[in-house]
């Protein structure tokens, strides 16, 4: 019984956020945080000195990828850094295929010998009229 008031409050709070456009035109909700897969095979090594936490990433859907029909490449400044791990890409692929507004950014950078621990990224769904980074902004630009 306690969950009903909490759930009701959550929906009311979300509704207030979405309807109060005087302080924000959109809301970004974190939907996934993952390690970058395959970074050792792409531009991550070359670009390492330029990458920064918060840098905007581009999600590139590769529905015709012969290894994984849900493949999503992650680009930074038009350079492929790697992929969303196969075990974690299905929901994001469906969202992109459905036209959902998703934005991604670098969350964490670690100088680690294990390539699966070097780069973590975050994906947000955008709800509302306007994202803080305009549509057409360049990958590599900071997300607040």
């Amino acid at each position: 019984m306690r969950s009903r008031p909490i759930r009701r409050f959550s929906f009311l709070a979300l509704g207030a956020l979405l309807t109060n456009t005087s302080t924000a035109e959109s809301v970004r909700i974190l939907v996934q945080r993952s390690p970058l897969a395959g970074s050792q095979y792409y531009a991550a090594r070359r670009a390492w000195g330029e990458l920064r936490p918060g840098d905007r990433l581009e999600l590139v859907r590769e529905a015709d990828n012969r290894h994984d029909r849900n493949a999503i490449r992650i680009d930074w400044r038009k350079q492929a850094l790697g992929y969303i791990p196969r075990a974690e890409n299905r929901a994001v692929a469906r969202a992109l295929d459905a036209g959902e507004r998703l934005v991604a950014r670098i969350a964490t950078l670690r100088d680690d010998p294990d390539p699966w621990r070097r780069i973590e990224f975050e994906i947000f769904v955008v709800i509302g009229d306007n994202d803080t980074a305009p549509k057409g902004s360049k990958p590599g630009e900071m997300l607040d």
Side-chain angles (χ1 to χ4, degrees):
M1 291 193 98
R2 287 185 177 192
S3 64
R4 281 187 178 172
I6 292 172
R7 189 177 303 140
R8 188 175 300 135
F9 175 76
S10 298
F11 286 124
L12 290 173
L14 182 58
L17 280 172
L18 295 176
T19 58
N20 186 2
T21 57
S22 63
T23 58
E25 294 179 12
S26 68
V27 175
R28 285 181 292 152
I29 300 171
L30 178 66
V31 293
Q32 184 169 331
R33 184 178 177 129
S34 300
L36 184 66
S39 64
Q40 68 271 32
Y41 304 112
Y42 297 95
R45 184 176 291 162
R46 286 191 313 273
W48 184 258
E50 298 176 57
L51 298 173
R52 299 288 180 263
D55 280 358
R56 189 175 183 94
L57 300 170
E58 183 178 0
L59 302 171
V60 181
R61 182 73 170 93
E62 291 185 355
D64 60 347
N65 184 299
R66 67 182 185 152
H67 301 290
D68 181 3
R69 66 183 180 162
N70 294 313
I72 302 166
R73 190 179 72 235
I74 300 203
D75 289 359
W76 174 82
R77 295 184 183 171
K78 303 207 184 284
Q79 299 176 65
L81 293 182
Y83 285 82
I84 294 177
R86 183 185 310 223
E88 302 174 14
N89 68 5
R90 183 176 291 170
V92 177
R94 285 183 186 159
L96 289 172
D97 292 346
E100 294 289 334
R101 292 179 57 203
L102 302 176
V103 294
R105 70 177 178 188
I106 295 173
T108 305
L109 296 169
R110 292 183 191 92
D111 191 12
D112 194 292
D114 180 356
W116 280 88
R117 295 183 43 85
R118 288 184 193 142
I119 301 172
E120 286 184 343
F121 61 90
E122 296 173 325
I123 299 173
F124 299 85
V125 65
V126 179
I127 300 172
D129 294 335
N130 192 12
D131 183 11
T132 55
K135 219 175 183 171
S137 63
K138 297 176 185 150
E141 290 180 338
M142 297 286 282
L143 281 179
D144 293 331

